[in-house]
Amino acid sequence: MFYRVGQLIPVFAGLLFAAGSATAAGTGSVKTGKLVYERYCLSCHGAEGNGQGEAAEYMAVKPRDYRQGTYKWRTTPSGSLPLDSDLEHTLLNGLHGTYMPTWRALDQRSRRDVISYIKTFSPRFATEKPQDPIVIPPDPGYSDASVARGTAVYKKYNCSQCHGPGGQGDGPSAHELKDDWGNAIVPYDLTKGHVKCGDQSTDIYRVFMTGLAGTPMPTFADSMSSADAWDLVHFIQSLSPGYAKNMMAAAADRKTGATQ
Amino acid sequence: MLNGIGAAASRHSVFARACVAVVGVGASLVTHQALASYEVMAVTNGGTIDGSVTLTGAAPGQAAIKVSKNQDYCGQTIPDPAYTVDSSGGLANVIVYLKDITKGKAAPAEPLALVNTKCMFSPRVQGAMVSQQVKISSDDTVLHNTHPQNAETNATIFNVALPFKGFSVTKPLPTMPMMIKVKCDAHEWMHAWIMELDHPYYATTSADGHFTIKDVPPGTYTLAVWHEVAGEKSAPVVVAAGQTVKPKITLAAK
């Protein structure tokens, strides 16, 4: 079949337009998002997005107050707004150990619409752009040697100041900590077996490098090399009950070709 | 001459001006939006404001800060620096600044310094231009974190770890004028203040309560002072070309 160039131009233009609106459509509909929010989010996060919905007073970990544009789970550096995809990640996965469940039951369109609505609670989204996400190099792999180095990294960076010598969240500074809203907050007990922002090794790495905005957990992106960070990830994983044993067994299986 | 003005009212005027600047520039702004309201020009016939701030009344007795952690490094107690007053009443750590100045000298080229030393921030208070860089460093072997927040909303600006002695990092301050309260979460007694303005006409009083603001274009301005406990105050000041004006400002102890 033959097309003349003139016929193709509208086709290309149409494709470009579609691609353009898809990029912009990270942004969903604020109007529809408000309906989704009122149905599913309002009872905890409140009609004004201030984290003071009816259910909030019964919660030990308070729902996010959206008005400051401050989010814990981000791929962006400390101080930056999150990307839309970061907010979608939290909707998809929930936050372990809090009342925030997964919202995988919502279709993608509704997730994007509600994200657009949530962003209207903070004026920052209208005037600031999120910074580029941090780069996470590939995990060099869990090993006893890396865990041993990670033990030294934990000491070198004084992680025990808050998280305690054994990672149980009982360091000298553990008891007077407050979040941006003045609520008492405790350092995470790293021996519990799950990590709040995700159990993947990249989730743990990310927390060191972005910090947890609104909490005392700072960014180490300016002080910690990626090699040190990966050793620290493996040390923290080794604190989880059963983790080291499972990793070693999996490695042994791979070596013998037992797993497929 | 000097009229006391409520702390909230004067702070809001800085904030309101910033909001107007943002609305005026529109949605495409990314950085330096607040600078739109300040115009840099050569100041050839500027005047100098060379004044002092004195505390009236006895400074309230201040209990020393009781160190609750890392006592082996930080010591058992640290003197409370909130009121630092010399023998003649000169009050240190007061920010003195002009209000409603829209044209004048260029922004300072150097970054601010904020040092974590002996489990305290130094300096305690300082002024800054919007978007100015701040070099944060630690002289201490214990972990500190430098966590500036918007003093009105408590919203985190950034939160950076200073895990060991000798580490430093340079970060930009926000693009909007605001009062910033800096804390170290790891040592809850550590605080500092940075007053961010959209112009460079500010100074901090030295140990004897003295301050100097140079290269001020001739005119009538409002001179304002801020202290972390004694609060705020402002009064008109007239600056003549090539002259030095010497305002003596008093703040009452609270």
Side-chain angles (χ1 to χ4, degrees):
Chain A
M1 276 173 85
F2 294 92
Y3 292 104
R4 281 206 269 156
V5 173
Q7 287 174 309
L8 280 173
I9 287 171
V11 176
F12 276 121
L15 284 172
L16 284 172
F17 180 75
S21 53
T23 318
T27 62
S29 156
V30 170
K31 210 170 148 189
T32 321
K34 183 171 193 283
L35 300 176
V36 178
Y37 183 86
E38 285 171 352
R39 180 153 191 177
Y40 299 111
C41 317
L42 181 143
S43 58
C44 293
H45 291 279
E48 283 96 47
N50 57 8
Q52 293 169 27
E54 279 183 23
E57 67 172 299
Y58 305 105
M59 297 176 167
V61 181
K62 297 298 177 196
R64 179 55 61 198
D65 173 353
Y66 296 127
R67 296 171 301 174
Q68 287 82 19
T70 307
Y71 291 88
K72 286 181 192 167
W73 202 103
R74 298 176 334 278
T75 58
T76 55
S78 179
S80 170
L81 290 170
L83 302 175
D84 282 10
S85 52
D86 295 343
L87 302 181
E88 190 166 8
H89 181 278
T90 298
L91 278 182
L92 283 169
N93 296 288
L95 288 168
H96 183 84
T98 77
Y99 301 89
M100 178 69 180
T102 166
W103 291 97
R104 278 176 202 270
L106 286 179
D107 61 86
Q108 190 183 53
R109 177 72 185 272
S110 299
R111 289 198 300 266
R112 293 192 173 170
D113 290 346
V114 79
I115 285 166
S116 293
Y117 182 65
I118 285 168
K119 285 163 65 181
T120 65
F121 290 122
S122 168
R124 288 181 62 196
F125 285 100
T127 57
E128 289 176 39
K129 291 217 182 326
Q131 295 171 39
D132 288 339
I134 62 154
V135 175
I136 303 183
D139 184 350
Y142 187 94
S143 67
D144 284 343
S146 178
V147 171
R149 289 193 301 270
T151 313
V153 173
Y154 188 84
K155 285 204 183 82
K156 177 182 170 192
Y157 289 86
N158 277 315
C159 307
S160 61
Q161 182 71 29
C162 293
H163 292 281
Q168 289 169 307
D170 55 354
S173 294
H175 305 295
E176 272 104 347
L177 299 176
K178 291 201 167 129
D179 67 12
D180 278 6
W181 295 269
N183 298 313
I185 188 168
V186 290
Y188 212 75
D189 177 350
L190 302 167
T191 66
K192 272 178 91 176
H194 285 287
V195 183
K196 187 173 195 167
C197 288
D199 287 335
Q200 300 295 313
S201 57
T202 48
D203 291 322
I204 303 172
Y205 184 104
R206 185 184 307 104
V207 171
F208 308 150
M209 296 310 189
T210 63
L212 294 175
T215 82
M217 175 68 188
T219 172
F220 288 80
D222 306 290
S223 52
M224 192 180 286
S225 69
S226 62
D228 276 359
W230 277 122
D231 289 335
L232 186 57
V233 168
H234 300 143
F235 168 68
I236 287 170
Q237 288 175 324
S238 79
L239 299 175
S240 290
Y243 190 90
K245 206 172 130 198
N246 291 343
M247 290 302 287
M248 290 302 130
D253 286 350
R254 274 199 300 277
K255 218 172 193 175
T256 58
T259 48
Q260 202 39 257
Chain B
M1 181 76 182
L2 284 153
N3 301 316
I5 287 192
S10 47
R11 194 179 299 162
H12 281 160
S13 70
V14 173
F15 187 69
R17 201 140 48 88
C19 293
V20 169
V22 169
V23 171
V25 179
S28 64
L29 53 91
V30 182
T31 54
H32 302 298
Q33 64 269 45
L35 288 174
S37 60
Y38 180 75
E39 190 187 319
V40 175
M41 63 168 192
V43 182
T44 50
N45 58 345
T48 299
I49 306 172
D50 183 21
S52 62
V53 181
T54 311
L55 188 74
T56 58
Q62 299 175 104
I65 295 165
K66 205 167 170 210
V67 172
S68 55
K69 48 196 63 92
N70 299 124
Q71 289 99 333
D72 51 341
Y73 183 82
C74 303
Q76 298 294 324
T77 59
I78 297 173
D80 187 336
Y83 279 116
T84 303
V85 187
D86 78 353
S87 54
S88 50
L91 182 59
N93 293 333
V94 178
I95 297 178
V96 187
Y97 64 103
L98 294 180
K99 285 185 175 177
D100 307 321
I101 184 162
T102 55
K103 284 189 222 187
K105 65 184 174 186
E110 294 295 303
L112 297 179
L114 186 60
V115 185
N116 292 252
T117 181
K118 300 190 178 75
C119 303
M120 292 290 276
F121 286 117
S122 176
R124 178 84 167 176
V125 305
Q126 58 189 322
M129 272 287 276
V130 285
S131 304
Q132 195 173 350
Q133 301 280 323
V134 54
K135 183 182 177 188
I136 302 159
S137 59
S138 176
D139 294 346
D140 289 348
T141 55
V142 295
L143 173 139
H144 290 301
N145 66 304
T146 297
H147 187 172
Q149 294 172 298
N150 179 319
E152 278 188 68
T153 65
N154 261 0
T156 289
I157 294 164
F158 56 77
N159 180 7
V160 60
L162 293 104
F164 33 70
K165 187 180 164 100
F167 175 73
S168 72
V169 58
T170 302
K171 296 265 177 196
L173 291 173
T175 55
M176 300 255 288
M178 63 176 75
M179 179 57 97
I180 298 169
K181 186 171 182 178
V182 187
K183 68 174 179 174
C184 168
D185 296 275
H187 303 97
E188 75 284 355
W189 62 84
M190 288 175 65
H191 294 295
W193 282 265
I194 299 172
M195 181 183 274
E196 227 197 340
L197 298 163
D198 60 1
H199 63 74
Y201 290 100
Y202 51 79
T204 309
T205 56
S206 53
D208 61 356
H210 233 88
F211 69 91
T212 308
I213 301 175
K214 287 182 180 164
D215 301 320
V216 184
T220 302
Y221 302 97
T222 301
L223 183 68
V225 298
W226 177 95
H227 181 265
E228 62 178 280
V229 188
E232 293 189 78
K233 199 171 183 182
S234 62
V237 61
V238 180
V239 179
Q243 302 292 306
T244 297
V245 57
K246 297 192 168 183
K248 302 217 175 299
I249 301 164
T250 57
L251 277 173
K254 274 186 188 162

